[in-house]
Amino acid sequence: TKIITELRSNGVEIYECPTEDETIADVNSNMNSHVPFAVVGSTDFAKVANKMVRARQYPWGTVQVENESHCDFVKLREMLIRTNMEDLREKTHEKHYELYRKMRLEQMGFSDVDNENKPLSFQESFEAKRSHHLQELQNREDEMRQMFVVRVKEKEAELKEAEKELHAKFDKLKRDQDEQKKRLEEQRRKYEEDLMEFSKRKQQYSTMGHHTLTLGKSKKK
């Protein structure tokens, strides 16, 4: 009674055997009065009154698994396998699994009602979710395309800037080369003028020396 009270006070629902069917109503009512079951299980056998029974042995005595005065194993077996198997299957499928499936679908974004709380079939919910997902993919694709275009433009701007810098360096090198060429031409021209001037002076000195030598010979005569 204390366990049942604590379960109910904490909102924990446990299985209750159905009593609607008259053929099993008495049996299930008796089962419900024994819930929760005190069950002992064992894979070992012990000899009790010249008979081998499934039991669990303790220092203080032996607990027989199938002795209803020792534990509720037989009642649990009766309830699960012989009396209420089909009811358990139906409740598991129609209630517990459906609740689990609904919870999982809601976690995945599906719902059985629309934005106005009107009933919505799974197909309609799936189509709405699919359309929303496709729209998100399209939006993401558009964003990626825009980012790609922006990056391409930035790269083109960088390449153009690098090209301008290369052209500027090339123009500077060309100007430096032209200036150096002009300086070399100027030095060459100056060198040629100096050479011509030197040749003229050399020729003049040669003429003056020859004339002086001729005058000296005339005086001796």
Side-chain angles (χ1 to χ4, degrees), residues 48-94:
V48 178
N50 296 324
K51 183 179 180 182
M52 298 300 295
V53 296
R54 196 180 297 274
R56 185 184 293 269
Q57 292 184 329
Y58 296 96
W60 44 263
T62 302
V63 176
Q64 300 177 37
V65 173
E66 297 183 358
N67 188 336
E68 294 191 43
S69 63
H70 289 190
C71 73
D72 294 329
F73 179 84
V74 174
K75 293 183 178 64
L76 178 64
R77 184 177 61 189
E78 284 283 332
M79 184 195 75
L80 291 178
I81 299 177
R82 297 180 180 176
T83 308
N84 301 302
M85 176 66 73
E86 190 62 30
D87 182 70
L88 282 169
R89 289 178 58 188
E90 290 178 359
K91 285 191 175 180
T92 299
H93 178 73
E94 296 176 1

Side-chain angles (χ1 to χ4, degrees), residues 194-214:
D194 292 343
L195 183 61
M196 290 177 61
E197 183 67 24
F198 177 75
S199 298
K200 287 181 182 179
R201 290 182 180 181
K202 182 179 180 181
Q203 186 176 3
Q204 289 178 359
Y205 289 148
S206 297
T207 304
M208 290 176 62
H210 180 71
H211 180 67
T212 303
L213 183 59
T214 303

Side-chain angles (χ1 to χ4, degrees), residues 180-194:
Q180 187 176 7
K181 185 177 180 181
K182 288 180 181 179
R183 287 197 298 270
L184 290 174
E185 289 291 336
E186 184 66 24
Q187 291 176 0
R188 178 185 176 188
R189 186 182 60 77
K190 187 175 180 181
Y191 173 75
E192 289 177 351
E193 290 178 356
D194 292 343

Side-chain angles (χ1 to χ4, degrees), residues 22-33:
E22 295 180 356
T23 59
I24 58 174
D26 294 337
V27 175
N28 282 342
S29 295
N30 183 45
M31 292 288 183
N32 289 332
S33 66

Side-chain angles (χ1 to χ4, degrees), residues 130-142:
R130 181 173 178 272
S131 300
H132 180 69
H133 182 65
L134 291 176
Q135 186 62 39
E136 286 185 348
L137 290 178
Q138 185 63 40
N139 294 336
R140 193 173 301 174
E141 183 180 355
D142 294 339

